[in-house]
Amino acid sequence: MNDDALCRSIMSAPAAVLKPDDTVRFALETMVRSRVPALPVVESDGRYLGMLPRSRLIALAMPRVLSHEDESHPLSHLLQVGFIQDTLVDLQGRLDAVANDPVSAHLDTEVPVLEAETPLMNAMLFLYRQRNILPVVENGRLLGIVSVWDVLARIGRVK
Amino acid sequence: MHAAHSSVIFGLNPLWLATVVMIVTYGVIISERLNRSIIALLGAMLMIMFGLLTQEQAVAGIDFNTIGLLVGMMIIVSITRKCGVFEYLAIWSAKLVKANPAGILAMLAVVTAVASAFLDNVTTVLLVVPVTLVITEALKVNPYPFLFSQIFASNIGGTATLIGDPPNILIGGQVGLTFNDFVINLAPVIVVVLIVHVISMHLIWGRTMTAAAEVRARVMEFDEKKAITDPRLLKLSAFVLALVMVAFVLARQLGLDSGTIGIGGAALLLMLDNVGRSAEHQSENVLKVYNEVEWITIFFFVGLFIVIAGVEHAGLLQLLADNLLAATGGDFRTTGISILWASAVLSAIVDNIPFVATMIPLIKSMAPAFGGPDGLMPLWWCLSLGACLGGNGTLIGASANLTVAGIAERNGIPFRFMTYTKIAFPLMLIHVAISHVYLMWRFF
C-alpha cells in the first residue's frame, strides 16, 4: 500500500502531553492556552492511557446527570435544562471541586485509536464524525496524533 | 384439542412435553442468559414445532387486547413526554415544599406514584430520576433515599389502575376487567400503602435530612416553565390523555375494549401531532415514535402467550389449578390469600410477568369451583396486589428497580442488591400485609 494512503503521512506531534497524575486544573489551563480540543495522556514510559477531551472538562462543570447520556434509555435524557438557573459561579464551583483530581480519573478511553499503518480514509471518517484529535499508537506507545487542523492544512495546501 | 395431541412428535405425552418446554423457557428467562424476548419466541416456536399447537392455535393464544393496550400507551407516552411536562411536575412539587429535602422526598414519591398510575413504571422512573438527580445535586443531599423511594412509589402507584403496571394490563386484558374495576377495587388500598410508604421513608431518611438555606434558594430559583419544550404538544397530549381516560372510565357504556382505546388514543395523538407537516417530516417523526415502543416487551408477551397456550392445551394448567384447589381444600379465602403471598414472594425474586401470565388461565379454570367467572373477582385483586407490590422486594423484582439502579450506578451512586433488599424486603412485606387486611375486610 502507498505510504501516502496511511495515517503515518498525516501524523504530527501533539501540542502537549499530559501525565496521569497531572491535575484537572493543569490540563484545563494547557488546553486553553494551546487551544487544542483534546490532549493525550501518557505514562512516563511512553505508554498511551487515553485522551482527555474538552467535553470531559465541560461535563465536570455540569450537573452530573446531564453528561451521562444513556443510549439504552433514550427517555432518561433531560430534554430541557433551561430550568436550572446555574450561573458562572456555580460552574466554577463544580470545577473547583475536582480541580485537583488527577486527569487519570477523568480519561476518555473510548476515543478510537489509530496505528501508523491505518488507512488515511479511516482517520478521515473519524474526523468527519466530530473527532478533532486522534491518537496514533503502536505497541501501546503514543507515536503522535492526527489532528483536524493538520489534515485540513494538508488537504487545502495551507502553508 | 385432542386432534392436535395426536400429531405430537415421536408420540410423546403432550402434557410432559409442554411442561418441559415451559420449564426450560422460564428457566432461561430467570437465568437472564438470553434476552427474554428471544427465549419467549423460541419457546413459542417449540410449542408449534413439537405439534403441541397448530400455528392457528398459537396465534389465537396471543391476546391482542393486551398487546394493543401496551403499544397504544407506549406511543401516547413517547409523544407526551417530549413536551417536558414530567420535569415540570417534579420541579413544581419540589418548590411547593420550599425545597425542603424531607418535603421533596415525600412530594416526589407522590408525583412518581400518580404518574406511574397512568404510565408504565419504567417510563415513569426514566422521566423522574434525572430531574431528581439535578435537584439532589443542587441541594447537596444523598440521592439514594430519593431513588429508593421512587422505585417503591412507581410500583405502588402502578398497581392502582388497569394501565399502570404490566401485570394489571395482562389481568385486565385477558379477563376483560375495566379501568373502573381496577380503580374501585385497588385504588383505596394503594392510597393507604402509599401513605405508609411516604411515612416510612420519612422515618428512615427524611427526618434527618438537612439542606442549607442558600442551596435551597438555588432550587427555588429553578424555573419549571422552562422545562416545557412545546406548549402546543402539551395541550394536544393533555387533550388526548383526558379523552383516553374518559374512554376508559366509560368503557362498558361505550362497548370498547382497552386495546381499542389504547390504539385509538395513539392514532389520534399521532394524527394531531403530524397533520399539516410535510410527508417526509411525518415519516421521520412517526418512525421516531415507533422506535420508542418497547419491542422487547411486546415480543416477550407474544412469545409468552403462545407458550402458555401450549401448556393450557396440553392440560397442565387445569391440572395445576385442581391441585391448588385440593391444597387449599377448595376454600375461597385460603386460595385468595395464598395467591397474594405466593405472588408477592415470587415476584420479588423472579420476573412477575411470566408468573402472572401463567396464573391468569390457571385462576380462570377455577371458575366452576367458585361460582363462575364473576365469583373470581377477588382472586384477580389478590394476584395484582401480590405481583405488583412484591416487585419492590429486591432489586431484581421489577424492571423499574433495575432501571433506577442502572441510572444511579452511571451517576456514581452505588446501588447494591443486599443494601437495597435489607430495607426493601421488610417494607414490601408490610405493604402486602396491609393488602392482606384490606382483602379480608373487603372481599373475604
Side-chain angles (χ1 to χ4, degrees):
Chain A
M1 203 167 188
N2 188 340
D3 246 21
D4 287 348
L6 301 177
C7 280
R8 187 189 301 286
S9 65
I10 50 166
M11 189 173 82
S12 64
V17 173
L18 294 171
K19 294 191 291 296
D21 49 1
D22 282 337
T23 63
V24 166
R25 180 171 304 289
F26 174 76
L28 185 144
E29 282 165 4
T30 314
M31 274 162 81
V32 172
R33 294 232 169 85
S34 47
R35 288 285 191 275
V36 287
L39 285 172
V41 181
V42 174
E43 284 277 22
S44 48
D45 61 3
R47 215 152 37 83
Y48 169 78
L49 293 175
M51 296 291 284
L52 185 73
R54 60 183 166 180
S55 57
R56 281 294 157 112
L57 298 179
I58 296 286
L60 291 175
M62 296 195 299
R64 186 159 173 171
V65 64
L66 303 191
S67 61
H68 281 254
E69 302 246 321
D70 180 354
E71 293 308 324
S72 59
H73 296 305
L75 285 181
S76 70
H77 298 181
L78 280 177
L79 295 157
Q80 258 297 353
V81 293
F83 65 84
I84 307 170
Q85 311 270 305
D86 278 4
T87 62
L88 197 52
V89 178
D90 299 313
L91 306 186
Q92 287 166 344
R94 280 201 198 89
L95 195 85
D96 286 343
V98 293
N100 292 321
D101 283 9
V103 290
S104 56
H106 300 282
L107 288 186
D108 185 348
T109 49
E110 307 279 295
V111 177
V113 170
L114 306 174
E115 288 177 18
E117 309 298 316
T118 304
L120 179 55
M121 283 317 292
N122 286 16
M124 287 301 287
L125 204 52
F126 286 129
L127 295 177
Y128 168 70
R129 292 178 185 151
Q130 317 295 326
R131 297 281 180 183
N132 292 303
I133 292 192
L134 296 155
V136 183
V137 174
E138 205 136 83
N139 300 324
R141 300 170 63 84
L142 184 76
L143 289 187
I145 55 158
V146 168
S147 117
V148 67
W149 304 119
D150 293 341
V151 173
L152 279 179
R154 299 282 293 277
I155 299 170
R157 299 187 191 87
V158 182
K159 292 284 181 236
Chain B
M1 189 160 89
H2 289 282
H5 287 175
S6 60
S7 60
V8 169
I9 54 162
F10 310 137
L12 289 166
N13 178 342
L15 180 62
W16 283 108
L17 190 57
T19 308
V20 168
V21 172
M22 185 186 77
I23 290 176
V24 171
T25 306
Y26 285 15
V28 178
I29 292 173
I30 292 167
S31 76
E32 294 179 349
R33 296 295 286 271
L34 197 57
N35 181 287
R36 58 186 191 158
S37 62
I38 302 176
I39 181 62
L41 289 177
L42 283 174
M45 188 200 68
L46 287 181
M47 288 288 182
I48 300 172
M49 304 228 332
F50 287 167
L52 293 157
L53 290 174
T54 62
Q55 179 179 296
E56 207 173 6
Q57 287 168 326
V59 172
I62 304 170
D63 179 18
F64 284 100
N65 190 32
T66 306
I67 302 287
L69 178 55
L70 271 171
V71 173
M73 291 312 293
M74 284 172 185
I75 290 176
I76 294 175
V77 169
S78 101
I79 299 176
T80 305
R81 66 110 196 170
K82 285 191 293 185
C83 64
V85 63
F86 301 103
E87 285 92 341
Y88 178 96
L89 275 179
I91 300 164
W92 169 81
S93 71
K95 289 170 71 173
L96 201 65
V97 290
K98 305 269 171 276
N100 162 26
I104 295 178
L105 182 66
M107 282 306 286
L108 288 181
V110 175
V111 167
T112 309
V114 171
S116 167
F118 300 100
L119 315 175
D120 166 59
N121 297 349
V122 172
T123 309
T124 310
V125 295
L126 283 177
L127 295 169
V128 180
V129 166
V131 199
T132 305
L133 293 179
V134 170
I135 293 174
T136 54
E137 203 239 41
L139 284 176
K140 298 189 167 67
V141 294
N142 178 9
Y144 183 85
F146 293 82
L147 302 186
F148 182 101
S149 162
Q150 283 165 15
I151 289 179
F152 265 72
S154 74
N155 290 324
I156 293 170
T159 316
T161 68
L162 165 71
I163 52 174
D165 207 353
N168 283 4
I169 294 184
L170 269 175
I171 297 170
Q174 296 220 66
V175 183
L177 301 173
T178 64
F179 189 81
N180 296 359
D181 291 331
F182 278 88
V183 172
I184 293 166
N185 292 293
L186 293 178
V189 65
I190 287 308
V191 171
V192 176
V193 170
L194 182 63
I195 292 171
V196 169
H197 166 67
V198 169
I199 294 173
S200 32
M201 289 298 100
H202 184 79
L203 293 178
I204 299 174
W205 285 299
R207 63 197 170 102
T208 54
M209 277 182 186
T210 50
E214 66 264 23
V215 296
R216 283 172 61 181
R218 280 185 58 184
V219 172
M220 292 308 288
E221 278 168 18
F222 281 3
D223 185 355
E224 67 272 25
K225 285 187 208 74
K226 292 228 167 74
I228 299 289
T229 53
D230 187 344
R232 180 183 154 272
L233 186 61
L234 174 62
K235 284 184 202 129
L236 293 178
S237 307
F239 168 70
V240 172
L241 266 177
L243 211 59
V244 166
M245 290 307 146
V246 171
F248 275 134
V249 170
L250 299 176
R252 210 151 264 173
Q253 290 87 332
L254 295 169
L256 291 176
D257 282 329
S258 40
T260 310
I261 298 173
I263 292 285
L268 180 64
L269 187 53
L270 278 169
M271 185 196 80
L272 292 173
D273 190 28
N274 285 289
V275 72
R277 297 179 199 253
S278 73
E280 238 170 81
H281 194 160
Q282 284 191 26
S283 16
E284 195 184 318
N285 204 23
V286 173
L287 188 62
K288 252 188 227 161
V289 172
Y290 288 163
N291 278 341
E292 282 185 8
V293 170
E294 292 154 52
W295 294 108
I296 292 180
T297 308
I298 303 299
F299 281 112
F300 178 53
F301 273 50
V302 166
L304 206 55
F305 281 138
I306 296 174
V307 171
I308 291 163
V311 289
E312 198 177 6
H313 272 259
L316 175 69
L317 296 181
Q318 186 65 51
L319 193 72
L320 286 177
D322 292 345
N323 278 320
L324 184 62
L325 280 177
T328 58
D331 181 51
F332 193 47
R333 184 193 295 181
T334 319
T335 308
I337 296 307
S338 318
I339 290 174
L340 172 74
W341 285 98
S343 336
V345 173
L346 272 172
S347 299
I349 308 167
V350 298
D351 194 338
N352 58 14
I353 292 170
F355 174 74
V356 170
T358 320
M359 283 302 284
I360 292 169
L362 195 149
I363 293 177
K364 270 185 180 170
S365 64
M366 294 179 182
F370 296 131
D374 288 339
L376 292 176
M377 279 286 254
L379 299 186
W380 301 125
W381 313 134
C382 295
L383 179 63
S384 162
L385 285 168
C388 297
L389 295 179
N392 276 326
T394 71
L395 209 46
I396 56 166
S399 15
N401 313 10
L402 286 170
T403 307
V404 173
I407 301 178
E409 292 276 355
R410 270 187 298 281
N411 284 282
I413 307 154
F415 235 93
R416 297 274 169 268
F417 183 86
M418 279 320 289
T419 33
Y420 175 86
T421 305
K422 260 190 287 182
I423 301 178
F425 204 83
L427 287 177
M428 179 276 281
L429 292 179
I430 295 173
H431 297 166
V432 178
I434 295 171
S435 310
H436 181 150
V437 172
Y438 168 81
L439 289 163
M440 293 295 280
W441 165 73
R442 184 135 180 214
F443 301 108
F444 295 112

